[in-house]
Amino acid sequence: MADAAKDTYANLEKQIEELKKELGTISKSLLSRASDAADEAEDNLHGLRDRAGYAAKQVRDRAQVVAEAARENPGTAATVGGSVGLLGFLLGALVGGVVVASCRDR
């Protein structure tokens, strides 16, 4: 019986060592993948920052053009602004009416 216990113990120790080796391999693989993912995320962040900077510059340039046009043509700017505001109000009222009507139907 003592020999059977020793064999079982030796077998368990062998399995534990194999599991430790597998765990080490898995840990190295995960570390490598995490490092690759971090590098890719950093590259994506730099690209996104560059594109955002370009987009912000374009928006500033276009806003400046619109502001200059509004200064040169205040009547037209007021008409366009009022029309857009009125259309926005009407669209909001229409959507609000549809939402209220759909809530009543429930």
Side-chain angles (χ1 to χ4, degrees), residues 24-73:
T25 302
I26 291 170
S27 294
K28 287 178 185 177
S29 175
L30 288 175
L31 183 61
S32 174
R33 288 183 184 188
S35 177
D36 292 345
D39 291 343
E40 185 176 340
E42 186 176 348
D43 291 344
N44 289 338
L45 181 62
H46 289 303
L48 182 61
R49 188 181 314 150
D50 292 343
R51 287 192 301 263
Y54 176 75
K57 182 184 180 309
Q58 291 296 318
V59 168
R60 276 192 309 270
D61 291 347
R62 300 288 161 83
Q64 186 174 0
V65 168
V66 169
E68 288 174 10
R71 271 192 297 262
E72 292 172 4
N73 304 299

Side-chain angles (χ1 to χ4, degrees), residues 9-26:
Y9 184 76
N11 190 16
L12 287 174
E13 282 186 335
K14 183 179 176 185
Q15 289 178 2
I16 290 172
E17 287 302 317
E18 289 174 3
L19 288 173
K20 284 181 181 179
K21 287 179 185 176
E22 286 181 37
L23 186 58
T25 302
I26 291 170

Side-chain angles (χ1 to χ4, degrees), residues 50-106:
D50 292 343
R51 287 192 301 263
Y54 176 75
K57 182 184 180 309
Q58 291 296 318
V59 168
R60 276 192 309 270
D61 291 347
R62 300 288 161 83
Q64 186 174 0
V65 168
V66 169
E68 288 174 10
R71 271 192 297 262
E72 292 172 4
N73 304 299
T76 304
T79 302
V80 170
S83 299
V84 169
L86 181 61
L87 286 174
F89 174 77
L90 293 174
L91 182 61
L94 178 67
V95 169
V98 170
V99 170
V100 168
S102 70
C103 288
R104 278 191 224 149
D105 292 340
R106 288 185 184 182

